[in-house]
Amino acid sequence: MSKVLMVVAAAALVVAAVAGGSPAKPQMNFQAKLDKKQEVPAPTGAPKQAAGTWSGSLSQHKLKWVLTFRKLSGAADSAHIHMAPKGTAGDVIVALCGPCKNGQKGTATVDVATVDALLTGNAYVNVHTAANPDGEIRGQIKKAGAKP
């Protein structure tokens, strides 16, 4: 089965589940590795070692997630999921936390457009600080186990 067909089939299952059309609760796992090199626009004054991880599991319309980060320029003021391809800044589609602590966990209800962005690689996580209000570290979200 082609990669495009597999993405379309997976999206159809999730859309049906989100719409309540399926009694099954398919779960998909996602991940992102965050660093300052991926952030757009480039952060200023962010330590070279600033980094983090985000992982999430999607079941029907519920996204459960965990965010970790380290060596930021200061406290994590907020973190979000944005919709945009790699290398492009985009709009917030899911607010994760604010202020945030390392190891923060949460749950969010997501819509079909967000599910589509997660499935197609058009979503990213970033963490904001006072020194970098547009974002200090960022990571593009991909399905867990997928190659970059």
Side-chain angles (χ1 to χ4, degrees), residues 72-78 127-136:
L72 300 177
S73 65
D77 292 338
S78 62
V127 178
H128 307 259
T129 63
N132 290 288
D134 291 332
E136 185 158 317

Side-chain angles (χ1 to χ4, degrees), residues 17-63:
V18 169
S22 171
K25 294 183 180 182
Q27 180 174 309
M28 288 182 277
N29 298 315
F30 298 91
Q31 63 189 18
K33 290 184 180 181
L34 290 68
D35 59 46
K36 73 177 202 170
K37 292 177 186 176
Q38 296 180 70
E39 189 60 68
V40 176
T44 57
K48 186 177 185 178
Q49 303 84 2
T53 62
W54 177 88
S55 61
S57 62
L58 179 67
S59 181
Q60 291 194 10
H61 60 285
K62 293 289 183 190
L63 179 66

Side-chain angles (χ1 to χ4, degrees), residues 2 17 28 33 52 60 66 81 100 122-123 132 139 147:
S2 77
M28 288 182 277
K33 290 184 180 181
Q60 291 194 10
V66 178
I81 297 175
C100 305
N122 286 318
N132 290 288
K147 294 183 180 180

